[in-house]
Amino acid sequence: MSAMTTDAASRPTAPLRLGVLGAANISTKALYEPMQTVDRVQLVAIAARDRARAEAHAAEHGIAHVADDYEALLARDDVDAVFIPLAISLHHQWTLAALAAGKHVLCEKPFASNEAEAREMVEAADSAGLVLVEAFHWRYHPLADRLVELVAEIGGATAIRTAFTVPIPARDEVRRTFELSGGALMDLGCYPVQWARFVAGREPVTIDATMVPDTAPGRERVDVDTRMTFDFGDGLIAELHTSMADGVERASWIEVDGPGGSIRVDNPIAPQFGHRITVTRDGATTTEQVDGVTTYHHQMEAFVAAVLDGAEVPTGGSDSIATMAIIDECYREGGLGPRGT
Ligand SMILES: NC(=O)c1ccc[n+]([C@@H]2O[C@H](COP(=O)([O-])OP(=O)(O)OC[C@H]3O[C@@H](n4cnc5c(N)ncnc54)[C@H](OP(=O)(O)O)[C@@H]3O)[C@@H](O)[C@H]2O)c1
């Protein structure tokens, strides 16, 4: 667990007053819907580059204030914390600005463009005594803890295979632009990277990666399809695949082999929309599901508890730095180079 606790005397009191930077697509699921069901939090302000878009989001979702721009939102005294769902290249700059303004931060995944940025963000939060969480929402659903139990029950992992593939259209600027820190590994592959590390319970010793770059002019450093092999030592190998190629199957899954059996999880990314855990032991196969609400509801609850109560959260801090270090190494191995460089 990452230690994210704040000094009790400096914690805001309920309700936590939240602001959001950007009128982002993901905010519907990750912010506006959880606001309907999570206690002790209130969305009070929004800012976007285009004020009209911010006003449209505010009208639709009952947000009281529209700030002129991101800086103006961060200057508001009635905002305790911000959600940052901006293009990845902007996470570092606006997380640092939010922390400097005394705001706690829930920042979308992947945390930053690269390891160096991630490290600077974590150090800034630590020295300000503020909560900084990476919005790796899947980790907050009870399915994640059930997976840990099952891995222990099969005697630990001896092999891991995992994938997250979604076709993403060429017009998607955020995911297909190097300067915005796009790429399949950044947008989608960060999940399999975290799944493999999570199941292994340690960091890879060596990494191999093969990348298929975008063929469109100016997008040569954007990976469309990436395969990775992580060697965790002691014989544990993980094979990972991510792709945003045209026509690729929409799928997310994790497979784990151990001395006492094997596990397959279908749809760890969004178990609220249906998932299946299949366990094979001693020649017998069973399937199960884990109760829970949306990953985003669980995540928002955890963020609110971290800020208001000093509760620990599992994503952010050293975990985010480790994820970004591995992503950087994959981009070096794949020949396209880390983002933000
Ligand atoms: N947790 C999840 O399930 C999930 C799912 C999808 C995405 N994400 C993550 O959420 C973040 C945003 O994704 P999204 O799909 O919501 O993206 P998006 O709506 O396309 O863009 C997000 C915001 O980034 C800003 N932006 C976009 N293009 C820009 C540009 N060229 N220059 C400067 N700013 C730009 C815009 O802010 P303004 O509104 O102020 O213009 C926009 O609202 C990413 O980190 C992504 O990886 C998470």
Side-chain angles (χ1 to χ4, degrees):
M1 299 286 262
S2 303
M4 290 283 176
T5 50
T6 49
D7 173 17
S10 65
R11 284 180 208 142
T13 51
L16 179 67
R17 300 166 303 173
L18 208 55
V20 56
L21 301 188
N25 291 321
I26 189 55
S27 288
T28 300
K29 283 190 204 160
L31 181 65
Y32 306 142
E33 286 176 10
M35 281 302 119
Q36 309 300 314
T37 51
V38 177
D39 293 333
R40 301 195 298 158
V41 60
Q42 214 173 22
L43 179 57
V44 298
I46 184 169
R49 290 175 302 168
D50 174 355
R51 192 183 166 95
R53 267 174 58 76
E55 282 171 355
H57 277 231
E60 190 176 347
H61 302 288
I63 308 168
H65 303 288
V66 176
D68 281 342
D69 52 29
Y70 303 158
E71 283 101 344
L73 187 142
L74 294 179
R76 294 186 70 96
D77 289 337
D78 61 354
V79 170
D80 305 309
V82 289
F83 177 50
I84 302 188
L86 298 174
I88 300 161
S89 59
L90 300 170
H91 291 183
H92 171 254
Q93 173 189 350
W94 289 104
T95 293
L96 292 184
L99 294 169
K103 313 300 182 194
H104 303 276
V105 177
L106 175 63
C107 179
E108 261 306 337
K109 46 55 61 179
F111 198 57
S113 296
N114 54 49
E115 180 193 3
E117 287 189 0
R119 198 172 287 285
E120 204 181 335
M121 290 155 69
V122 170
E123 284 170 3
D126 286 349
S127 58
L130 293 163
V131 171
L132 170 57
V133 174
E134 181 174 12
F136 255 135
H137 57 111
W138 73 274
R139 179 63 188 84
Y140 293 89
H141 192 280
L143 182 148
D145 291 333
R146 179 63 184 142
L147 178 57
V148 173
E149 285 172 7
L150 287 169
V151 171
E153 285 175 22
I154 64 165
T158 53
I160 303 167
R161 295 170 295 280
T162 179
F164 187 23
T165 55
V166 180
I168 293 179
R171 67 172 180 278
D172 191 315
E173 193 193 1
V174 163
R175 288 159 186 83
R176 298 242 183 194
T177 304
F178 178 80
E179 290 72 19
L180 296 177
S181 299
L185 173 55
M186 294 296 279
D187 190 64
L188 306 173
C190 59
Y191 290 101
V193 166
Q194 226 211 9
W195 292 333
R197 295 177 49 241
F198 180 69
V199 171
R202 56 188 193 264
E203 303 303 333
V205 182
T206 61
I207 290 172
D208 280 322
T210 312
M211 295 182 165
V212 178
D214 202 321
T215 50
R219 292 181 167 181
E220 298 80 3
R221 293 184 71 184
V222 173
D223 58 309
V224 169
D225 186 290
T226 291
R227 290 183 185 274
M228 297 157 279
T229 304
F230 295 175
D231 184 343
F232 287 95
D234 295 331
L236 175 57
I237 303 288
E239 290 170 39
L240 304 83
H241 180 217
T242 190
S243 182
M244 60 179 179
D246 276 354
V248 74
E249 181 193 11
R250 180 181 284 265
S252 77
W253 51 267
I254 306 167
E255 290 180 345
V256 187
D257 298 336
S262 62
I263 304 162
R264 178 176 167 103
V265 183
D266 284 293
N267 203 17
I269 188 78
Q272 62 268 27
F273 300 123
H275 68 277
R276 184 173 53 235
I277 304 176
T278 309
V279 183
T280 303
R281 265 179 291 208
D282 304 324
T285 297
T286 55
T287 61
E288 62 176 89
Q289 292 188 328
V290 181
D291 287 341
V293 289
T294 74
T295 52
Y296 305 106
H297 175 106
H298 289 296
Q299 171 178 270
M300 187 58 72
E301 265 186 340
F303 180 67
V304 171
V307 177
L308 295 183
D309 311 329
E312 289 201 345
V313 287
T315 66
S318 57
D319 186 71
S320 299
I321 295 170
T323 302
M324 291 317 306
I326 290 169
I327 289 174
D328 284 359
E329 186 58 18
C330 290
Y331 276 116
R332 280 186 213 104
E333 282 289 314
L336 302 188
R339 318 291 80 173
T341 53

